[in-house]
Amino acid sequence: LRQDTGARGAALGGSFGAWVDDVSALQYNPAGLSLLVKPEAQGTHIVLFEDTNFDFAGGGVPTSWGGLAAGYLRQGSSAFERRSTPFDAATGFSISQSAVLMGWGKAWTFDAAAPKTSLALGVTAKSVREVMDSASGSGLGADLGLLARAGSRWSLGVACQNLAAPAPRLASESIAYPRRWDFSPGASLGLSRELSARLGMNLSMVEHGKTSVGGGAELLYGRSAALRVGVKDSSVSTGVGVRFGNAGVDYASLLHTLGVAHVVTFIQRFGQTAQEL
């Protein structure tokens, strides 16, 4: 549940929670579901290390009572070896972790404020399952997100993952997932008629774990193309994105101590907004 569900967010050093506006908000910040403007479907594939892969598929739709989305993610590793004694021949087994996610996000606008201000609230409910060889366990949990925006320039995302923590039971012991808080301020800058930039930072605090700081930047050419770069925990990430009407493809490369992870996301939106018409 700590993997990136989108290549755009993966390239931005954890700061995507400040302006996430697609189905990947299920993971980054469910309040971002309030920014869905069209029905959309999204799929992500990540090639990790040592026969480990991650996949995410989801869809969302804007409604009069907020943005609704659902998704499924799975991370699997294979080619583990098992022996009963040091002298036995090895047999293989695999490990997988999966989750079903359902989210809602809604924004309220305060027109009297200057600049125009909005505040969004979002919730993601999830059912997780872990499988290790023949042992398996499952649990339920929930995330909470807030997104404040001042005009079109400033934004602040606050997300709590595992506010209600899943506790799958494998064999004889239940293991509760740690709670994680993410604070992500962001700013949007207009550079020219066609060029704009987004800058963001991220402070991530994990229960009984370490606190990490990251950040990223995104250079946009209209709605057609983007270049991205980010840093988190001394790991560098880069990415690109292209849009063709309602379709889009994003790619990110994450440099870890164990190697390079490759993230590819495809997004398909449907219909036209009133502004586009």
Side-chain angles (χ1 to χ4, degrees):
L1 290 173
R2 295 187 186 180
Q3 293 291 0
D4 291 281
T5 49
R8 186 180 173 195
L12 293 173
S15 63
F16 195 35
W19 53 67
V20 58
D21 57 0
D22 57 29
V23 171
S24 65
L26 282 166
Q27 275 288 84
Y28 293 109
N29 183 352
L33 295 174
S34 65
L35 300 178
L36 294 177
V37 295
K38 299 179 181 180
E40 68 175 68
Q42 178 173 325
T44 295
H45 179 67
I46 305 179
V47 180
L48 293 162
F49 336 102
E50 299 296 335
D51 296 314
T52 301
N53 293 279
F54 174 92
D55 292 283
F56 169 77
V61 59
T63 72
S64 58
W65 55 87
L68 302 175
Y72 173 79
L73 59 84
R74 182 184 185 277
Q75 180 171 292
S77 302
S78 59
F80 291 95
E81 293 185 348
R82 175 185 58 223
R83 294 174 174 85
S84 298
T85 74
F87 308 103
D88 292 340
T91 58
F93 71 96
S94 61
I95 296 175
S96 67
Q97 300 161 319
S98 60
V100 176
L101 312 172
M102 299 187 68
W104 163 84
K106 182 173 177 58
W108 292 266
T109 302
F110 305 96
D111 295 321
K116 185 176 180 180
T117 303
S118 66
L119 179 65
L121 170 69
V123 178
T124 295
K126 54 194 175 185
S127 173
V128 304
R129 178 175 173 82
E130 295 197 22
V131 178
M132 181 180 294
D133 194 11
S134 60
S136 64
S138 58
L140 301 175
D143 305 336
L144 179 68
L146 297 172
L147 182 61
R149 307 174 75 200
S152 59
R153 185 170 184 179
W154 305 103
S155 61
L156 172 65
V158 179
C160 181
Q161 191 178 71
N162 301 323
L163 180 65
R169 184 182 183 90
L170 286 172
S172 60
E173 185 175 353
S174 297
I175 302 175
Y177 288 9
R179 189 168 296 162
R180 188 181 81 182
W181 287 91
D182 282 286
F183 301 88
S184 304
S188 298
L189 307 173
L191 304 178
S192 69
R193 182 176 179 180
E194 295 293 340
L195 288 177
S196 61
R198 287 175 172 170
L199 309 175
M201 294 186 64
N202 172 257
L203 174 66
S204 182
M205 299 183 295
V206 180
E207 183 181 19
H208 308 305
K210 66 178 182 179
T211 297
S212 60
V213 178
E218 181 178 44
L219 180 65
L220 300 162
Y221 179 75
R223 299 182 179 181
S224 302
L227 294 175
R228 306 177 182 111
V229 63
V231 178
K232 188 171 185 178
D233 291 335
S234 301
S235 297
V236 178
S237 55
T238 58
V240 296
V242 291
R243 295 287 183 272
F244 307 96
N246 276 342
V249 179
D250 295 304
Y251 168 79
S253 175
L254 284 67
L255 180 61
H256 294 279
T257 54
L258 295 179
V260 179
H262 303 278
V263 188
V264 179
T265 297
F266 175 77
I267 299 177
Q268 179 64 56
R269 295 183 172 91
F270 304 92
Q272 291 180 302
T273 64
Q275 183 180 8
E276 289 172 337
L277 290 172

